[in-house]
Amino acid sequence: MKAKRTPIAFKNEKITHILKELASEFLSMESNRQSLVTVTKVEYSSRSKQATIYISVMPDHKAEAALDFAKRQRAALRGYIKEKSRLSILPFLDIQLDIGEKNRQKIDDLI
Protein backbone atom coordinates (compact mmCIF):
# COMPACT_ATOMS: atom_id res chain seq x y z
CA MET A 1 0.00 0.00 0.00
CA LYS A 2 1.41 3.36 -1.03
CA ALA A 3 1.60 6.02 1.67
CA LYS A 4 -0.13 9.30 0.99
CA ARG A 5 2.07 12.32 0.61
CA THR A 6 1.02 15.22 2.73
CA PRO A 7 0.80 18.67 1.18
CA ILE A 8 3.80 19.76 3.26
CA ALA A 9 5.88 16.81 2.06
CA PHE A 10 4.92 17.57 -1.54
CA LYS A 11 5.86 21.25 -1.07
CA ASN A 12 9.22 20.30 0.48
CA GLU A 13 9.98 17.96 -2.44
CA LYS A 14 9.14 20.71 -4.90
CA ILE A 15 11.35 23.24 -3.11
CA THR A 16 14.18 20.69 -2.96
CA HIS A 17 13.89 20.09 -6.71
CA ILE A 18 13.87 23.83 -7.48
CA LEU A 19 16.92 24.44 -5.29
CA LYS A 20 18.84 21.57 -6.89
CA GLU A 21 18.10 22.71 -10.44
CA LEU A 22 18.91 26.37 -9.81
CA ALA A 23 22.07 25.58 -7.83
CA SER A 24 23.24 23.36 -10.70
CA GLU A 25 22.59 26.10 -13.24
CA PHE A 26 24.33 28.74 -11.13
CA LEU A 27 27.44 26.67 -10.39
CA SER A 28 27.68 25.69 -14.05
CA MET A 29 27.58 29.34 -15.13
CA GLU A 30 29.92 30.69 -12.45
CA SER A 31 32.57 27.98 -12.29
CA ASN A 32 35.95 28.53 -13.91
CA ARG A 33 35.81 25.17 -15.71
CA GLN A 34 38.93 23.97 -13.87
CA SER A 35 36.83 21.19 -12.36
CA LEU A 36 33.45 19.57 -12.85
CA VAL A 37 31.08 20.54 -10.03
CA THR A 38 27.85 18.55 -9.81
CA VAL A 39 24.99 19.10 -7.39
CA THR A 40 24.17 15.60 -6.19
CA LYS A 41 21.39 16.31 -3.71
CA VAL A 42 19.72 18.94 -1.57
CA GLU A 43 18.41 18.47 1.95
CA TYR A 44 15.76 21.02 2.86
CA SER A 45 14.23 21.61 6.27
CA SER A 46 11.07 23.68 6.21
CA ARG A 47 11.10 24.05 9.98
CA SER A 48 14.53 25.65 10.21
CA LYS A 49 14.33 27.23 6.74
CA GLN A 50 17.72 25.77 5.90
CA ALA A 51 18.96 23.89 2.86
CA THR A 52 22.19 21.98 2.47
CA ILE A 53 23.43 21.60 -1.09
CA TYR A 54 25.73 18.63 -1.62
CA ILE A 55 28.24 18.74 -4.46
CA SER A 56 30.71 16.33 -5.98
CA VAL A 57 33.86 17.58 -7.68
CA MET A 58 36.04 15.97 -10.31
CA PRO A 59 39.02 15.75 -10.17
CA ASP A 60 39.23 14.99 -6.47
CA HIS A 61 42.26 17.18 -5.81
CA LYS A 62 40.22 20.27 -6.81
CA ALA A 63 37.42 19.50 -4.33
CA GLU A 64 38.50 21.85 -1.53
CA ALA A 65 39.06 24.76 -3.92
CA ALA A 66 35.66 24.17 -5.54
CA LEU A 67 33.96 23.95 -2.14
CA ASP A 68 35.60 27.21 -1.02
CA PHE A 69 34.46 28.88 -4.25
CA ALA A 70 30.90 27.61 -3.84
CA LYS A 71 30.73 28.76 -0.21
CA ARG A 72 31.99 32.23 -1.19
CA GLN A 73 29.25 32.41 -3.83
CA ARG A 74 26.35 31.60 -1.47
CA ALA A 75 25.02 35.17 -1.43
CA ALA A 76 25.09 35.34 -5.24
CA LEU A 77 23.46 31.90 -5.43
CA ARG A 78 20.70 33.06 -3.08
CA GLY A 79 20.13 36.11 -5.29
CA TYR A 80 20.00 33.87 -8.36
CA ILE A 81 17.42 31.60 -6.71
CA LYS A 82 15.38 34.63 -5.66
CA GLU A 83 15.44 35.97 -9.23
CA LYS A 84 14.64 32.68 -10.97
CA SER A 85 12.11 31.13 -8.59
CA ARG A 86 8.88 32.16 -6.96
CA LEU A 87 9.81 30.94 -3.51
CA SER A 88 8.27 33.21 -0.91
CA ILE A 89 10.89 32.50 1.75
CA LEU A 90 14.45 31.70 0.73
CA PRO A 91 16.23 29.24 2.99
CA PHE A 92 19.68 29.79 4.43
CA LEU A 93 22.07 27.89 2.16
CA ASP A 94 24.97 25.71 3.18
CA ILE A 95 27.18 23.83 0.75
CA GLN A 96 28.99 20.58 1.57
CA LEU A 97 30.96 17.95 -0.30
CA ASP A 98 28.92 14.80 -0.89
CA ILE A 99 31.02 12.18 0.86
CA GLY A 100 28.39 9.50 0.17
CA GLU A 101 28.84 9.95 -3.57
CA LYS A 102 32.61 9.67 -3.24
CA ASN A 103 32.20 6.45 -1.23
CA ARG A 104 29.80 5.07 -3.85
CA GLN A 105 32.39 5.75 -6.55
CA LYS A 106 35.08 3.93 -4.53
CA ILE A 107 32.78 0.90 -4.18
CA ASP A 108 32.10 0.94 -7.93
CA ASP A 109 35.86 1.02 -8.58
CA LEU A 110 36.41 -1.95 -6.27
CA ILE A 111 33.71 -4.00 -7.97
Side-chain angles (χ1 to χ4, degrees), residues 22-33 37 39 69:
L22 292 176
S24 295
E25 287 175 17
F26 178 81
L27 290 173
S28 176
M29 289 185 318
E30 296 296 319
S31 71
N32 61 6
R33 309 279 190 247
V37 178
V39 176
F69 164 77

Side-chain angles (χ1 to χ4, degrees), residues 65-96:
L67 179 62
D68 290 341
F69 164 77
K71 285 191 176 222
R72 283 193 313 269
Q73 295 297 317
R74 281 185 291 195
L77 171 58
R78 213 162 177 262
Y80 183 79
I81 291 169
K82 183 178 182 178
E83 176 186 320
K84 298 288 183 179
S85 72
R86 294 184 290 163
L87 296 177
S88 58
I89 298 174
L90 291 177
F92 172 77
L93 300 175
D94 189 24
I95 300 174
Q96 299 291 323

Side-chain angles (χ1 to χ4, degrees), residues 11-23:
K11 181 179 178 184
N12 287 348
E13 284 178 31
K14 192 172 180 180
I15 291 171
T16 299
H17 179 74
I18 289 168
L19 292 173
K20 183 177 179 184
E21 291 296 315
L22 292 176

Side-chain angles (χ1 to χ4, degrees), residues 25-73:
E25 287 175 17
F26 178 81
L27 290 173
S28 176
M29 289 185 318
E30 296 296 319
S31 71
N32 61 6
R33 309 279 190 247
Q34 297 279 329
S35 58
L36 175 64
V37 178
T38 306
V39 176
T40 55
K41 67 181 176 180
V42 173
E43 289 180 352
Y44 171 71
S45 171
S46 61
R47 286 190 161 196
S48 65
K49 299 293 183 207
Q50 183 170 349
T52 303
I53 299 169
Y54 290 92
I55 60 172
S56 66
V57 180
M58 301 270 293
D60 286 337
H61 68 277
K62 300 268 186 179
E64 287 303 318
L67 179 62
D68 290 341
F69 164 77
K71 285 191 176 222
R72 283 193 313 269
Q73 295 297 317

